[in-house]
């Protein structure tokens, strides 16, 4: 079992400020009660992204109930995920649990001939009873290999927090990616993006003459992108650190950059990619002139609404740092406490460099003391998970549910204003209401 | 292992959370890994409660497993008691913690808190949410009342009230967070009891504190409003303290009358004035001419035992529907449900498997589904009108308005809620009359997909979007196997089918195809269509 990556592991429940190397930002590390989804929740968007995939959670009724609650019980059909419910007799002996899993997979594949890739997803209980799903996946691959690809990864709360589930899933795909032919080079964009955003980026890459470009995850799990020493990697989401490491082990080269949120982030992201292709800043600026100008116009009105307002983030999705940077630098907001579930410096350094120097960064969570600090601070808007939003509203704080930031297309120039709007809307609403 | 897509009930610790969240001055500490706090949003987002449930989690992670998770539990317990100062502390564990065997309940008992500590056994791999709620409530009441003396006059509500020169008083037991319309039911039942001359002494768990629970025995009797939550507590209170309890759940006009009669019998009060004052429009609305079209509407009912058993009676006796199928996920009440099924000649479907319910609905193709949030999705997918009558529910089923299910006002609400998804009598006739009118031209018949439903289903799996498929169920419904012989339609027959109003066309198509298949016909002619109509007609 792997740990949730942590800049420095602090024992017990204490919090200790220390200073981040290479940056003057003080980071408070906290351990205690958490209010965050586990990595299983990633299935909710991954099963939409990879339309030929199915996610079989091997876990308890709690896992099934969590998936249902995270999906808002809003899916009007049999979704592309389900749960193999562990029961008492499965806990009695492991051989039994493996036989049971084989049977459930057989039933599932018979029921759903449309499945191209089946992910077995490990959970807290399956990990605690040491049900080895990697071995199970290999065994099942032998049995059903002609028809489907069967992989395993962990979405357990012991290993992963919310969006980290996607990292864990993508990392499981890495060994199966075909080899990029020698002497070829390609760009691999890592982290799921809405199809519309992918298409926008693809058009910009085409204009810049960058290609071939592949995306991970692909729209069909069967269409795995090739990877090799000629591959340049860029993260489109801030939670794909482990996947990036695995891809680098296959020889590909990492491009580090700020994330494509807002005009500045998107430009910096494209510039970093272009630099790897030997394309000049001037050329990039020419290509992005129109969308960047459009974004600037669209963003101006939100800058008016958001400018000077104070925003705090409770740790949730790993999007907090790039979003905080965007809100501070492009929308003129002031940052209160910026909480992140974990600080992954492999990908976050370029973002940290752009954060205001006095940003109070907190890694991890100890919920109650954090809420006390929030109440003392009373920011104009608080970004938090679903469980906390209404109670904080009831205390008179304006909130933005973090989950919408994960599900809504927010990357790229044409989404910069949409992203700002997500923060402006709760403030706008608060203003409109006559009580 | 068992394959499940959705689940009607959560694990038992969710039930424990429901009790804690219903009450005041109680706190629950759950030994649970990171991620289990998802459950908070059931309360804050679905039920829109303004406060977080009073639950603290240990949120352990992989790195804690090598060390001392028991120490984590103790830290969380100590911090929780110091911060929230509850009157009673519930201690439980979620599924993963159960496997660790840290025994948080025993740890809590050993910490010397000066409040009652109630350790909960919540076996997550064998039990479910309702059981967990019922058990938590029962254990809490037990912990607070065990060893108390039998109250004077116990077991004789009428005599005891008379002796003390006051109106008889009752505890209303069972209303809880995430229950179906509990808030309004309590108000309605309180009014109903008042009309009879009975006072409500205590409502629990909803709104009660542990201190309130210690005063439960001052009531003459208990009313078991939601057996899923309160049945075992009522039974225990009767056994230990001779507190009688009322069995009838007052949902529907008939059951509300029976409820008043049962309470009157227990308390020696005259029910006639209260019955005479009853104000409900359901009986007249049901008799009104416009309701004629409701006659024999084929209805399928699924949900928790309390609401399903009540709904079966209302559907049959008060709305004149045919109950063609019913069932419940409440295994604890399987015996009662099966007995009801025998009474009405319909086998009760007792299952926790959403897919089995879906298959049954598809097979029966009723004209109305009364169910939970899940059946709403099933009905939407198959193109059948639906009303929600039970948890689990959606945020929309926590209405801002007053919308009880119980008592006479509840009967009014039920009439509206169940009848509105259906087309009204005159409306139905007018649409038939004007079906050739261009206004009713509902376009081309979509081509029938040839793949099995399983293959087309994922296209529809779109979070938050309405079902893009037209009401006519073109694809075979789930449960119908892909190997069913393909039946084709002659073009004249297809044209004739299109003259049938769109809202019943799907059913006509299915019936005709089934009819043809049963007779080994591969081609449907106009005659086949009408033969089938004659065969299925009523």
């Amino acid at each position: 079992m792997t740990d949730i990556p942590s800049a420095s592991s602090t024992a017990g429940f204490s919090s200790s400020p220390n200073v981040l190397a290479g940056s003057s930002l003080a980071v408070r590390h906290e351990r205690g009660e958490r209010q965050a989804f586990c990595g299983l929740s990633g299935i909710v968007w991954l099963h939409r992204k990879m339309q030929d995939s199915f996610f079989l959670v091997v876990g308890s009724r709690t896992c099934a109930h969590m998936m249902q609650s995270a999906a808002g019980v809003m899916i009007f059909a049999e979704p592309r995920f389900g749960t193999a419910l562990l029961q008492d007799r499965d806990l009695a002996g492991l051989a039994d649990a493996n036989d049971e899993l084989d049977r459930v997979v057989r039933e599932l594949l018979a029921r759903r001939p449309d499945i191209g890739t089946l992910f077995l997803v490990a959970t807290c209980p399956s990990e605690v009873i040491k049900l080895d799903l990697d071995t199970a996946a290999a065994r099942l691959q032998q049995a059903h290999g002609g028809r489907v690809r069967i992989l395993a990864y962990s979405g357990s709360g012991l290993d992963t927090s919310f969006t980290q589930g996607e990292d864990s899933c993508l990392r499981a795909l890495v060994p199966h990616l075909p080899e990029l032919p020698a002497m070829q080079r390609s760009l691999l964009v890592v982290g799921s993006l809405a199809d519309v955003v992918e298409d926008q980026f693809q058009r910009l890459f085409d204009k810049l003459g960058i290609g071939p470009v592949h995306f991970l995850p692909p729209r069909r799990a069967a269409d795995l992108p090739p990877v090799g020493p000629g591959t340049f990697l860029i993260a489109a989401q801030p939670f794909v650190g482990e996947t990036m490491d695995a891809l680098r082990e296959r020889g590909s080269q990492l491009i580090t950059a700020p994330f494509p949120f807002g005009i500045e982030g998107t430009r910096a992201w494209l510039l970093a990619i272009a630099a790897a292709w030997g394309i000049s800043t001037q050329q990039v600026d020419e290509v992005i002139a129109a969308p960047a100008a459009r974004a600037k116009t669209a963003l101006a009105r939100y800058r008016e609404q958001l400018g000077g307002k104070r925003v705090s983030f409770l740790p949730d999705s790993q999007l907090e740092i790039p979003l905080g940077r965007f809100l501070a630098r492009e929308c003129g907001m002031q940052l209160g406490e910026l909480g992140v579930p974990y600080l992954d410096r492999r990908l976050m350094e370029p973002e940290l460099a752009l954060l205001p120097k006095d940003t109070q960064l907190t890694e991890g969570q100890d919920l109650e003391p954090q809420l006390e600090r929030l109440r003392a601070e009373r920011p104009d808007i608080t970004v938090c998970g679903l469980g906390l939003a209404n109670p904080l509203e009831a205390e008179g704080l304006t909130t933005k549910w973090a989950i919408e930031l994960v599900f809504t297309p927010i990357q790229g120039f044409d989404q910069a204003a949409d992203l700002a709007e997500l923060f402006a809307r709760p403030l706008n609403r608060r203003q409109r209401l006559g009580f | 292992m068992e394959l499940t897509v959705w689940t009607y009930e959560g694990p038992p610790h969710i039930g424990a959370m429901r009790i804690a969240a219903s009450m005041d001055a109680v706190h629950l500490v759950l030994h649970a890994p990171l991620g289990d706090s998802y459950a908070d949003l059931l309360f804050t987002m679905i039920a829109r409660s303004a406060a977080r449930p009073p639950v603290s989690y240990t949120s352990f992670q992989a790195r804690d497993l090598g060390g001392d998770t028991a120490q984590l539990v103790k830290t969380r317990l100590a911090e929780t008691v110091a911060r929230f100062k509850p009157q009673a502390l519930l201690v439980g564990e979620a599924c993963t913690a159960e496997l660790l065997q840290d025994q948080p309940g025993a740890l809590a008992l050993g910490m010397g808190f000066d409040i009652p500590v109630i350790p909960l056994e919540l076996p997550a791999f064998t039990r479910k949410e309702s059981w967990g709620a019922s058990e938590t409530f029962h254990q809490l009441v037990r912990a607070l009342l065990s060893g108390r003396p039998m109250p004077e006059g116990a077991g004789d509500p009428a005599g005891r009230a008379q002796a003390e020169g006051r109106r008889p008083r009752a505890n209303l037991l069972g209303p809880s967070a995430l229950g179906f319309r509990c808030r309004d039911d309590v108000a309605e039942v309180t009014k109903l009891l008042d009309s009879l001359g009975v006072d409500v002494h205590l409502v629990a768990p909803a709104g009660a504190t542990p201190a309130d629970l210690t005063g439960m025995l001052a009531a003459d009797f208990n009313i078991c409003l939601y057996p899923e939550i309160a049945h075992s507590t009522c039974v225990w209170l009767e056994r230990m303290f001779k507190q009688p309890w009322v069995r009838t759940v007052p949902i529907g006009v008939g059951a509300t009358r029976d409820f008043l009669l049962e309470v009157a019998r227990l308390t020696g009060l005259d029910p006639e004035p209260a019955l005479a004052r009853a104000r409900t429009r359901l009986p007249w609305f049901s008799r009104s001419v416009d309701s004629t079209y409701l006659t024999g509407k084929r209805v399928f009912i699924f949900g928790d035992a309390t609401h399903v058993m009540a709904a079966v009676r209302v559907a049959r006796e008060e709305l004149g529907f045919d109950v063609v199928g019913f069932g419940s996920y409440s295994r604890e009440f399987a015996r009662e449900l099966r007995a009801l099924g025998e009474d009405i000649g319909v086998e009760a479907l007792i299952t926790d498997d959403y897919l089995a319910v879906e298959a049954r609905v598809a097979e029966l193709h009723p004209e109305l589904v009364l169910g939970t949030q899940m059946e709403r999705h099933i009905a939407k997918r198959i193109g059948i009108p639906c009303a929600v009558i039970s948890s689990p529910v959606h945020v929309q089923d926590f209405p801002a308005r007053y919308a009880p299910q119980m008592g006479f006002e509840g009967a009014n609400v039920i009439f509206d809620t169940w009848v509105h998804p259906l087309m009204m009598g005159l409306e139905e006739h007018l649409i038939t009359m004007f079906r050739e009118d261009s206004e009713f031209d509902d376009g081309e018949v979509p081509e029938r997909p040839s793949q099995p439903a399983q293959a087309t289903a994922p296209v529809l799996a779109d979070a938050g979007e309405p079902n893009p498929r037209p009401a006519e169920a073109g694809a075979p419904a789930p449960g119908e196997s892909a190997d069913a012989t393909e039946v084709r339609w002659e073009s004249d027959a297809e044209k004739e089918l299109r003259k049938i109003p769109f809202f019943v066309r799907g059913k006509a198509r299915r019936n005709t195809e089934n009819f043809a298949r049963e007779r080994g016909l591969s081609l449907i002619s106009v005659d086949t269509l009408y033969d089938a109509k004659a065969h299925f007609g009523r």
Side-chain angles (χ1 to χ4, degrees):
Chain A
M1 277 176 273
T2 55
D3 236 10
I4 289 181
S6 162
S8 75
S9 206
T10 328
F13 283 75
S14 63
S15 60
S16 63
N18 74 354
V19 173
L20 203 70
S23 150
S24 59
L25 291 179
V27 184
R28 176 202 291 266
H29 302 283
E30 286 199 328
R31 295 197 56 192
E33 185 177 354
R34 302 282 294 259
Q35 262 286 345
F37 282 148
C38 61
L40 291 182
S41 341
I43 291 170
V44 175
W45 65 89
L46 289 170
H47 90 112
R48 297 288 307 145
K49 183 69 194 172
M50 294 182 274
Q51 303 260 332
D52 56 338
S53 60
F54 191 99
F55 293 81
L56 182 63
V57 175
V58 183
S60 62
R61 184 170 300 281
T62 314
C63 306
H65 194 241
M66 197 287 298
M67 288 302 301
Q68 179 167 321
S69 308
V73 204
M74 284 298 287
I75 295 174
F76 282 115
E78 188 175 332
R80 284 183 296 274
F81 55 83
T83 306
L85 283 183
L86 289 166
Q87 286 159 335
D88 253 3
R89 56 202 171 94
D90 302 308
L91 306 177
L94 287 185
D96 185 24
N98 279 305
D99 290 348
E100 288 284 297
L101 179 61
D102 292 359
R103 177 179 57 76
V104 168
V105 167
R106 244 187 346 262
E107 283 170 12
L108 176 67
L109 293 177
R111 179 182 172 82
R112 297 288 299 264
D114 56 313
I115 298 173
T117 297
L118 174 65
F119 290 98
L120 304 179
V121 190
T123 61
C124 305
S126 78
E127 297 209 332
V128 166
I129 66 167
K130 305 208 184 306
L131 183 56
D132 180 354
L133 293 187
D134 288 319
T135 306
R139 182 179 69 238
L140 286 160
Q141 181 72 61
Q142 289 276 316
H144 305 278
R147 219 191 99 190
V148 291
R149 175 186 288 128
I150 301 178
L151 300 169
Y153 75 90
S154 170
S156 119
L158 297 171
D159 296 334
T160 60
S161 155
F162 195 18
T163 51
Q164 217 175 350
E166 177 175 328
D167 194 15
S168 176
C169 173
L170 298 186
R171 192 186 47 187
L173 284 173
V174 172
H176 301 269
L177 303 186
E179 190 68 29
L180 183 75
M183 308 306 289
Q184 283 191 18
R185 71 172 181 174
S186 72
L187 177 67
L188 183 59
V189 180
V190 184
S192 48
L193 293 169
D195 290 358
V196 58
V197 176
E198 265 184 30
D199 293 343
Q200 288 168 9
F201 283 145
Q202 182 69 58
R203 283 195 294 272
L204 289 175
F205 292 135
D206 288 346
K207 281 187 188 159
L208 287 166
I210 293 172
V213 181
H214 302 287
F215 293 88
L216 185 69
R219 293 183 197 188
R220 286 170 39 81
D223 303 334
L224 290 179
V227 65
T231 302
F232 287 87
L233 296 173
I234 184 89
Q237 297 282 12
F239 40 74
V240 292
E242 303 254 319
T243 306
M244 294 308 241
D245 281 353
L247 287 166
R248 287 169 75 187
E249 278 169 26
R250 294 200 48 179
S252 51
Q253 301 164 59
L254 180 67
I255 304 171
T256 53
F259 290 92
F261 299 109
I263 303 170
E264 183 186 34
T266 307
R267 179 173 176 270
W269 190 74
L270 289 169
L271 279 176
I273 297 166
W277 254 257
I279 298 167
S280 72
T281 304
Q282 192 195 341
Q283 270 176 288
V284 174
D285 280 333
E286 275 166 26
V287 165
I288 65 170
R294 230 174 15 232
K296 200 174 165 192
T297 312
L299 203 53
R301 50 191 280 247
Y302 295 113
R303 199 183 155 86
E304 259 172 52
Q305 295 175 37
L306 296 172
K309 296 281 197 299
R310 203 164 173 80
V311 58
S312 287
F313 286 83
L314 295 178
D316 192 72
S317 65
Q318 279 294 94
L319 292 166
E320 297 84 4
I321 291 175
L323 292 181
R325 179 262 301 161
F326 164 72
L327 293 173
R329 294 171 65 98
E330 296 188 50
C331 301
M333 294 186 83
Q334 290 171 12
L335 299 184
E337 180 172 337
L338 205 158
V340 293
Y342 59 94
L343 184 56
D344 185 352
R345 281 189 289 173
R346 289 170 294 193
L347 295 177
M348 219 51 95
E349 285 296 354
E351 287 286 350
L352 293 171
L354 294 174
L355 278 182
K357 295 299 166 225
D358 58 348
T359 305
Q360 310 158 46
L361 204 54
T362 307
E363 184 194 20
Q365 187 168 33
D366 189 5
L367 180 64
E368 297 295 346
Q370 191 163 44
L371 289 177
E372 272 172 14
R373 296 195 296 274
L374 184 74
R375 288 175 187 126
E377 162 117 20
R378 290 197 75 81
D380 296 297
I381 187 163
T382 303
V383 185
C384 62
L386 288 177
L388 292 170
N390 267 337
L392 292 176
E393 290 279 349
E395 291 184 26
L397 290 156
T398 301
T399 59
K400 166 83 221 99
W401 334 333
I403 197 150
E404 213 171 343
L405 300 162
V406 179
F407 290 133
T408 312
I410 54 172
Q411 295 85 352
F413 294 118
D414 287 310
Q415 280 67 241
D418 299 349
L419 177 55
E421 200 272 343
L422 289 177
F423 295 90
R425 195 183 313 176
L427 292 167
N428 183 345
R429 179 157 192 81
R430 183 60 61 119
Q431 254 178 0
R432 284 168 182 245
L433 297 179
F435 40 76
Chain B
M1 276 179 212
E2 178 194 326
L3 178 64
T4 182
V5 180
W6 299 128
T7 159
Y8 289 94
E9 293 180 85
H13 72 263
I14 297 288
M17 287 181 70
R18 286 176 57 183
I19 301 304
S22 302
M23 296 184 63
D24 289 328
V26 169
H27 207 97
L28 167 64
V29 170
L30 267 183
H31 192 18
L34 178 154
D36 272 2
S37 61
Y38 81 86
D40 281 16
L41 72 91
L42 303 171
F43 301 91
T44 66
M45 296 302 282
I46 295 180
R48 275 204 195 88
S49 86
R52 278 165 58 216
V55 181
S56 299
Y57 305 86
T58 56
S59 303
F60 61 87
Q61 293 172 231
R63 57 184 160 187
D64 300 314
L65 293 181
D68 188 2
T69 44
Q71 188 53 47
L72 262 175
V73 179
K74 286 166 127 176
T75 309
R76 179 63 54 242
L77 285 165
E79 286 184 0
T80 299
V81 171
R83 181 177 296 273
F84 296 100
K85 303 184 173 58
Q87 289 176 14
L89 185 70
L90 301 169
V91 185
E93 52 197 347
C95 50
T96 310
E98 182 185 338
L99 300 171
L100 299 181
Q101 302 186 321
D102 281 334
Q103 300 187 312
L107 289 173
L109 287 172
M111 287 175 72
F113 295 123
D114 57 358
I115 48 169
V117 172
I118 297 101
L120 300 170
E121 292 280 334
L122 303 167
F125 298 93
T126 49
R127 301 295 194 156
K128 294 198 283 277
E129 177 179 333
S130 291
W131 182 90
S134 170
E135 181 68 7
T136 302
F137 185 48
H138 182 182
Q139 291 305 330
L140 184 59
V141 169
R142 238 182 129 109
L144 296 168
L145 295 184
S146 277
R148 303 234 162 197
M150 180 85 69
E152 208 167 315
D156 176 16
R160 186 177 165 197
Q162 221 164 24
E164 294 179 20
R166 53 163 176 83
R167 306 208 310 176
R169 54 194 181 206
N171 295 318
L172 293 189
L173 302 185
S176 70
L178 293 180
F180 193 69
R181 307 285 162 85
C182 293
R183 175 198 65 189
D184 299 343
D185 283 350
V186 165
E188 198 55 30
V189 172
T190 304
K191 265 192 268 179
L192 196 62
L193 290 168
D194 180 59
S195 74
L196 191 65
V198 172
D199 288 328
V200 170
H201 173 67
L202 169 70
V203 179
T209 63
D212 294 335
L213 292 185
T214 58
M216 279 180 104
L217 302 178
D220 304 312
F221 65 105
N222 292 313
I223 292 176
C224 186
L225 277 191
Y226 303 94
E228 282 83 356
I229 308 288
H231 179 264
S232 58
T233 302
C234 287
V235 168
W236 184 80
L237 288 168
E238 184 178 45
R239 202 175 66 229
M240 302 303 290
F241 301 104
K242 290 191 183 167
Q243 258 184 331
W245 58 284
V246 171
R247 268 86 173 158
T248 313
V249 177
I251 298 179
V253 177
T256 300
R257 288 193 178 126
D258 290 351
F259 172 82
L260 285 172
L261 292 171
E262 189 179 345
V263 175
R265 252 198 325 275
L266 208 56
T267 53
L269 295 165
D270 176 9
E272 287 311 322
L275 289 171
R277 276 203 305 276
R279 290 283 172 272
T280 166
R281 290 178 197 88
L282 189 149
W284 162 242
F285 275 32
S286 263
R287 280 199 310 276
S288 75
V289 170
D290 204 65
S291 289
T292 310
Y293 77 108
L294 297 175
T295 313
K297 285 271 184 210
R298 303 171 69 255
V299 58
F300 179 86
I301 304 172
F302 197 87
D304 66 31
T306 300
H307 290 92
V308 161
M309 291 198 277
V312 166
R313 178 170 178 187
V314 173
R316 286 162 47 90
E317 296 177 11
E318 300 175 18
L319 290 166
F321 292 154
D322 279 348
V323 175
V324 293
F326 81 101
S328 173
Y329 55 79
S330 304
R331 285 183 188 278
E332 292 83 1
F333 297 91
R335 209 174 41 176
E336 289 85 341
L337 288 155
R338 291 216 171 87
L340 174 62
E342 269 177 35
D343 277 356
I344 66 167
V346 176
E347 195 196 345
L349 176 65
I350 315 288
T351 183
D352 187 49
D353 183 358
Y354 159 86
L355 299 174
V357 179
E358 186 178 63
R360 184 67 65 90
V361 175
E363 173 199 326
L364 293 169
H365 213 80
E367 287 154 289
L368 176 68
V369 170
L370 301 172
T372 72
Q373 175 64 12
M374 318 292 190
E375 283 66 46
R376 171 142 74 199
H377 293 316
I378 293 171
K380 183 103 182 165
R381 178 162 136 91
I382 305 178
I384 304 172
C386 175
V388 173
I389 59 156
S390 157
S391 298
V393 293
H394 184 254
V395 62
Q396 286 170 351
D397 301 305
F398 288 93
R401 69 180 185 281
Y402 185 61
Q405 300 291 292
M406 294 186 178
F408 293 118
E409 184 58 24
N412 293 336
V413 171
I414 285 174
F415 183 90
D416 287 348
T417 322
W418 296 12
V419 166
H420 284 178
L422 298 165
M423 211 154 324
M424 299 302 283
L426 192 56
E427 195 181 3
E428 195 168 312
H429 290 301
L430 288 175
I431 287 181
T432 312
M433 215 150 116
F434 293 120
R435 70 188 175 198
E436 303 299 338
D437 208 296
S438 60
E439 210 176 315
F440 287 101
D441 181 13
D442 50 308
E444 292 296 304
V445 177
E447 199 175 318
R448 217 187 140 173
S450 54
Q451 304 131 290
Q454 286 89 336
T456 59
V459 184
L460 302 175
D462 218 340
E465 278 178 26
N467 189 346
R469 191 154 41 169
E472 177 182 0
E480 199 174 10
S481 63
D483 62 5
T485 333
E486 194 55 40
V487 184
R488 292 188 309 106
W489 288 72
E490 281 182 7
S491 68
D492 281 356
E494 187 82 48
K495 269 189 209 150
E496 197 69 17
L497 178 70
R498 282 165 56 185
K499 294 177 190 166
I500 296 171
F502 64 90
F503 48 87
V504 286
R505 194 182 304 147
K507 193 175 141 203
R509 181 189 282 278
R510 285 175 54 88
N511 282 350
T512 309
E513 288 176 1
N514 287 340
F515 178 84
R517 252 181 233 119
E518 278 164 20
R519 280 157 191 75
L521 303 173
S522 60
L523 202 60
I524 292 169
S525 66
V526 173
D527 282 334
T528 323
L529 176 65
Y530 283 110
D531 286 346
K533 180 171 190 261
H535 176 77
F536 290 108
R538 59 182 172 90

